[in-house]
Amino acid sequence: MPAAELPLSPALVRRLLAEQHPDLADLPVEVLANGWDNLVCRLGDDLLVRLPRRAASAALVAHEQRWLPELAARLPLPVPAPVRTGRPGAGYPWAWSVVPYLRGEIAARTPPADPYAAALALGGFLRALHVPAPPDAPANPVRGIPLAGRAAGVGRQLPHLEGAERAAAGRLWEAAVAAPAWDGPPLWLHGDLHPANVLIDAGAVAAVIDFGDVTGGDPATDLAVAWMLLPARAAREEFRRAYGRADGATWLRARGWALALALVFLTHSADNPLMAAVGRRTLDAVLADGPEPGPASR
């Protein structure tokens, strides 16, 4: 995991709150998560504070602040739209956010009790999210792009697999890259939709979090979550029906995206067994869907 580029602590959070949101400064602060991009602190019972750990992730918080309130109004699941925004201060150089505390455990740790209900919830969520994005939507060099743009990374990571598994993955990748490209308008995308960004509460999908990679592009990027979260092919087909707009080419590209992300998680999560396990499950699901298809037509 990338190192934080400056010291972060609950004490810093308290100083920022006292300076910019003094009505919140007396609430208890405790670290909830220290991720790749953000330090996340619980603030009282109902709020979280998200502070970027690196300059590269500061822009992601800015994207959430700009776009998530607008998107949240039409989405069927809760999302962490900021309720307060923060600016540089107290020696801290970047924008930061106060967001609602959404209850639940990440699906990477606590899978949904009913995969078919989860398929309906996530398929409906993406159907609502995937509408044409405006010209000023955030650009993202690695999400929502043509699948061939991921070829260099896949080429480096495939050799980490062995034998028949590597051969099957290679054939699937070639078929997915050969599928017809997305030729519609760029659609709004979550951009980083995997089981650590889906919350499960009382066994059901309760919220979708971490929209820092929000962008416009090929919906296949987000549809890869079907293989990342849903273990059974029948549940993935239920997800596809609930989404309602994934033709054969889009579904094949989505499977290619799932393969590419599985390889990333498997080769870059030595210090994160939770995400390594997501990669392993995703790869198993991708390869379990049967013989690698040829190029799909629309």
Side-chain angles (χ1 to χ4, degrees), residues 45-118:
D45 293 331
D46 300 317
L47 299 170
L48 300 175
V49 177
R50 287 166 55 86
L51 269 68
R53 302 171 67 246
R54 304 179 292 135
S57 55
L60 307 186
V61 167
H63 294 161
E64 290 181 329
Q65 291 177 348
R66 166 64 181 88
W67 293 107
L68 202 46
E70 182 176 314
L71 294 173
R74 58 177 178 76
L75 295 176
L77 290 170
V79 298
V83 297
R84 305 280 185 97
T85 59
R87 60 185 184 277
Y92 180 77
W94 303 311
W96 51 281
S97 298
V98 179
V99 303
Y101 171 66
L102 300 176
R103 301 187 183 281
E105 289 284 339
I106 58 172
R109 186 175 293 117
T110 303
D114 183 345
Y116 297 94

Side-chain angles (χ1 to χ4, degrees), residues 168 171-172 175 233 252 255 286-294:
R171 290 193 297 272
L172 171 58
R233 184 172 184 171
L252 178 53
R255 193 175 170 198
V286 163
L287 297 183
D289 267 5
E292 292 73 43

Side-chain angles (χ1 to χ4, degrees), residues 73-230:
R74 58 177 178 76
L75 295 176
L77 290 170
V79 298
V83 297
R84 305 280 185 97
T85 59
R87 60 185 184 277
Y92 180 77
W94 303 311
W96 51 281
S97 298
V98 179
V99 303
Y101 171 66
L102 300 176
R103 301 187 183 281
E105 289 284 339
I106 58 172
R109 186 175 293 117
T110 303
D114 183 345
Y116 297 94
L120 289 172
L122 281 176
F125 176 85
L126 290 180
R127 183 180 179 88
L129 175 63
H130 287 176
V131 300
D136 57 340
N140 192 308
V142 295
R143 312 281 181 163
I145 62 174
L147 195 57
R150 304 288 301 221
V154 170
R156 290 191 300 270
Q157 294 149 5
L158 271 174
H160 291 270
L161 305 181
E162 296 182 359
E165 188 173 68
R166 181 172 63 199
R171 290 193 297 272
L172 171 58
W173 177 251
E174 290 175 2
V177 170
W182 175 250
D183 60 2
L187 303 185
W188 271 123
L189 307 177
H190 179 282
D192 194 26
L193 190 57
H194 55 68
N197 287 334
V198 176
L199 296 185
I200 305 297
D201 189 40
V205 174
V208 177
I209 61 173
D210 200 350
F211 280 73
D213 282 304
V214 65
T215 190
D218 181 358
T221 303
D222 281 352
L223 298 178
V225 74
W227 290 268
M228 303 186 83
L229 181 64
L230 303 171

